Amino acid sequence: MRFIRPSWLSHSGEQKDFEVYSCHVSPDGTRLATAAGDGYVRIWSIDAVENAGDASYTKPKQLCHLSKHSGSVTVVRFSRDGRWLASGADDKVICIYELDYQVPAAPSFGNEAHLRRELRKLILDLGTSEPPPVENWKIVKRLIGHDNDVQDLGWSYDSSILVSVGLDSKIVVWSGHTFEKLKTLSVHQSHVKGITFDPANKYFATASDDRTIRIFRFTSPAPNATSHDMVNNFVFEHNITTPFKSSPLTTYFRRCSWSPDGNHIAAANSVNGPVSSVAIINRGVWDSEITLIGHEGPVEVASFSPRLYSDRPPNLDNTDNSGFSTLPLVTVIACAGQDKALTVWNTSTSRPLVIVQDLASKSISDLSWSPDGLTLFATSLDGSVVAVVFEPGDLGFVARIEENDKALQKFGASRKGVGVIEDVAGLLLEERSKAGELRGAEGRMGALMGDANVAKSPTINGGGVSKLSNGETSSSANTPAAIAPAPSIAPAQVNGTTPAINTNAEKLEKLKQRVTITKEGRKRVAPMLVSSSGTGQSSLPQSQLVASNANNSNAMETPQSLLDLSKPYDGLPRGGLSAMLLGNKRKVVAIEAEDDEHSHKRQSVAGLNGIVPIMTNGVDGVEPATSSAPQQGIVPTPEFIRPAVISPAMTVSQVRLAVPKIRSHILRSLNRGGTGNAVNGADDTTKVTDDVIFEAKNPSLFRDPARISATKRGTVLWQDFLPRSVILVTGNKNFWSAACEDGSIYTWTPAGRRLLNALIVEAQPVIFECRGWWLLCITATGTCHVWNLKTLSSPHPPVSLAPVLDIAIHSLQAHPTVGPGVTSAHLNSSGHVVVTLNNGDGYAYSPGLYIWQRMSEAWWAVGSQYWNSNDSSISSLQSTAVGSDSQRLGQLSTTPVSAGIIPHLERHTTNEVLLRGRAFPLQRLFKTLLAKEGFESFESDVSIAHLENRVAAAMQLESKEDFRLYLFMYAKRLGAEGMKGKVEELLRSLLGGILTDGESSGTDEDGKGWQSVTGEICGWERKDLLKGVVLILGKFRELQRMTVQYARVLDMVNDEDGEPMVS
């Protein structure tokens, strides 16, 4: 071990050396950056430091000096990838620098201003006797987000985020790609003076003068992520207080460090009784059983060596077949502080390996290790910078860097994206992948700024025909967009028709020009909030907006904008349609009974609190509830004649659903709220008068018939009479239908002709829905019937709701028990039945498998990182990677099959579980599991499983748009996790029938879905989907050996022009 203290390695002034507050070694081990009170960031050559005693060494010592701050620079940190250098100062600003490898051009004498700047710089350099810079480090960003001094900085191990802390008690998270502020965490009660990152890239920890260390969990954001995307990221995990209860508040820093194996955090400025110490905090449980005692004053900085060590040099006897050591590996930590002493410890001994007293004349402010773990740099407030060089064996023998990766694998970490490009094809594929991601970021930013309509393709010869990326042409009115275009201010003519003039435009213009008189008698234009005028555009991403205008019906919608489900005529009771079950389980479990009891009590309390239902029954079907004043006095009784006659089958049925009462008058509109999409009052009048009203009047006497009629503009179109009272009605432009209390179902054509004989079911209908030619009836015994009135057939036999209602986990007793309530039941345009329950679960029945399938549940809502969200970069990629049907076929598209069903079910789960506080048990379980050994990758595994569930659900429901979106999200996550096995299987499955003739043999062995031998999957060409997946995976270098092969099969890397587009 030797010490090196060159006289030139300092921030010298005219009278004294300035305090050096921070130092950091670059990841390649060639540069040392220091920050001091003179306002400079200086970059030194480590090679020059190590050869300071060699008089023949003539290479430059100082590589660059940067004076971009207006105050003392308190911290300097290189990013983990070595591209960026960040510095923070007491001017509240963070500067980001980048090395410019190009030699600055000589100043032009024709540019007088540039010459003047160069002359001024030369004079300043001569006045301070600074050597000319060898490297050209230029400032690229100035980050402003703190209200006081910046005390410490930290980069994540994948350089995706930068975290800054300061004396304003704030923790600010910045994007490591765009340096946009992603989130501000104000959780500390005093100055924050330290930050360290988990090498597994799962957590970061901050140390504060409020005598706490707080742990935060995070997920690395995407390159184009914004603060809107990070709402649920950077979550507070744990608060550590025990080692710091009486720690002094006199330290300038509390710089902590995370061990390279991810197991421990070394916390500076802790105490063990009255003695200053360094607390070693255990990962997961976040407790401190070990403290390093020996310093006489508070410790301000602790720094783990980036390498692992063994007690013997590696050889064939102590390594396995893979080259990994079989010896126990230890970590090494250096500590220093106000006592001016330096100590070095390892985890295998109870005493320090090295003790250096009076290393400096003032407090030691920072420590930094070289990447090889053999050199330690220390800075002090006396202005000195000292290098401590260890010989092999002084601290132990340095293990291979792969040992770090092996140790971190148990925490779910991997060295993603650090592979080497092997050929030109891989480089071209990576460029195309990044170009597509950049277009996604630009499209997202355009949507956020409200200029989505500016990015339209240019028209050719004014004909309204735009040129597509693949050389085809389509009508500009038919061109799809991932983001709905904002309406133009000036009226534009599309396809020869002029859109309706906005009647609010003139009113809005007058409001903008309204002049008011101030108290001083001055005139001024009163400011107006544009968004409150009703015509301003939302600042949210347009792809997130659900409502669509009738005028934009020709525009291509995103999957979230359309919902292929029947709209219910009758709203179900609050909390869902009650269900009673005689379960299949033989033994009662006390815990489950208690949970059911508590759940029932919570529902009862919610009912007593008078919660207003979101939807209500109206003339136009289920409508949004309007706010109403509380009723006082005598409350009118609803017009119910009597309860329905219950079928005897209910007494022996395992499932018993609540039966609606007999109403005296049932009135339903054909258009069901369609007037809300009208443009002006004239259209409203037309739609109202042209609407058809279907009416059912039940008799007050049991023996009298029920009257059915259809009216238009007050004129009766037709009428009919039924022998039994009507419970429910439904209908559309294809047919009308009514369900009676005796279980008979009648159907009529729009003109009133009876379409079928009465359909007889086993019990009273309780849910009655239709969509297209499909008719759904769920009876009181929980039996679900589906008919196609056009083909006069049923896709499957009647099916019971018992499995959906969790009958398998309910006990068989003498009396039925309460089961989950049915909150809705719908049909899609292909006849699939979709059911939601008040426990948050969403189900769909598979006609091919004859089984219910769970599409959404609380498990995903609590554990998945993708819950209730879509990847914006993937959404923008849709129009560039594959293209939609209307784009490829040049025709308008109607509502796609099963569009929006999966997001609809997930929103339902959110409303029923998360927003009502029913997810606390699952949240506690997840938090407990994440802290246990063996569950480090639990959250990542659940998120991937959720994406796989989405892909499978979209394929089962035949939802084209959702399938493509979720498939691309799944591929992106697999690439980010480096799961080569799943990636290879996914690519092979997509390849499927591409290399065959694409025709089925018609035998029973022909598969479906992933196993089909045709050239399509879920309505998409396999080749198009494979291109999109390969494009997404192209930027992950460790996967390029696989992706390049598929890219060559698809002719994606053979273009000579190198244009980063998918043909």
Side-chain angles (χ1 to χ4, degrees), residues 788-860:
N788 189 318
L789 301 188
K790 184 176 183 179
T791 61
L792 301 182
S793 62
S794 177
H796 51 78
V799 57
S800 175
L801 289 178
V804 169
L805 298 175
D806 295 336
I807 198 169
I809 63 173
H810 281 75
S811 299
L812 179 60
Q813 299 177 354
H815 300 285
T817 57
V818 178
V822 181
T823 55
S824 70
H826 304 276
L827 281 171
N828 74 343
S829 57
S830 61
H832 284 80
V833 183
V834 178
V835 175
T836 61
L837 307 180
N838 62 1
N839 62 5
D841 291 353
Y843 296 86
Y845 188 77
S846 172
L849 298 174
Y850 296 108
I851 197 69
W852 289 100
Q853 292 182 307
R854 186 185 290 115
M855 302 291 177
S856 177
E857 58 180 315
W859 177 265
W860 310 124

Side-chain angles (χ1 to χ4, degrees), residues 753-799:
R753 176 173 55 88
R754 291 212 180 190
L755 191 59
L756 294 173
N757 301 102
L759 307 176
I760 309 301
V761 294
E762 73 283 354
Q764 287 73 28
V766 295
I767 297 178
F768 206 43
E769 297 293 335
C770 69
R771 183 163 180 82
W773 285 99
W774 296 97
L775 179 63
L776 166 68
C777 176
I778 297 179
T779 64
T781 58
T783 306
C784 178
H785 301 265
V786 179
W787 304 283
N788 189 318
L789 301 188
K790 184 176 183 179
T791 61
L792 301 182
S793 62
S794 177
H796 51 78
V799 57

Side-chain angles (χ1 to χ4, degrees), residues 42 98 111 121 167 223 342 344 389 539-540 574 612 640 651 755 847 887 969 1028:
R42 301 181 187 273
E98 183 181 20
N111 190 339
K121 182 178 179 181
L167 300 185
L342 171 68
V344 181
V389 181
S539 61
L540 293 175
R574 188 187 321 176
V612 179
F640 294 119
T651 59
L755 191 59
Q887 178 178 347
M969 293 174 63

Side-chain angles (χ1 to χ4, degrees), residues 616-652:
T616 185
N617 287 326
V619 176
D620 293 331
V622 178
E623 300 172 346
T626 57
S627 58
S628 58
Q631 296 181 351
Q632 298 178 354
I634 299 176
V635 179
T637 303
E639 295 184 359
F640 294 119
I641 299 177
R642 55 180 171 80
V645 177
I646 304 300
S647 170
M650 294 282 287
T651 59
V652 294

Side-chain angles (χ1 to χ4, degrees), residues 858-891:
W859 177 265
W860 310 124
V862 176
S864 174
Q865 299 166 343
Y866 294 93
W867 182 253
N868 249 349
S869 66
N870 291 328
D871 192 334
S872 59
S873 62
I874 296 298
S875 299
S876 299
L877 187 62
Q878 291 180 21
S879 59
T880 59
V882 178
S884 64
D885 275 347
S886 58
Q887 178 178 347
R888 292 187 284 112
L889 302 179
Q891 59 185 3

Side-chain angles (χ1 to χ4, degrees), residues 1-2 309 373-375 388-398:
M1 180 179 64
R2 57 195 177 98
Y309 300 81
L374 294 177
T375 305
V388 183
V389 181
F390 298 96
E391 300 297 331
D394 288 347
L395 305 176
F397 296 91
V398 178

Side-chain angles (χ1 to χ4, degrees), residues 16 141 152 177 187 389 448 520 526 531 534 547 733 766 779:
K16 65 167 187 174
K141 287 286 184 180
D152 206 2
H177 305 279
V187 295
V389 181
L448 290 173
E520 293 80 10
S531 61
K733 64 179 182 179
V766 295
T779 64

Side-chain angles (χ1 to χ4, degrees), residues 168-172 183-189 214 216:
D168 56 358
S169 306
K170 290 182 181 179
I171 305 167
V172 184
K183 199 167 188 179
T184 300
L185 305 170
S186 301
V187 295
H188 283 289
Q189 307 301 318
R214 296 180 185 264
F216 297 87

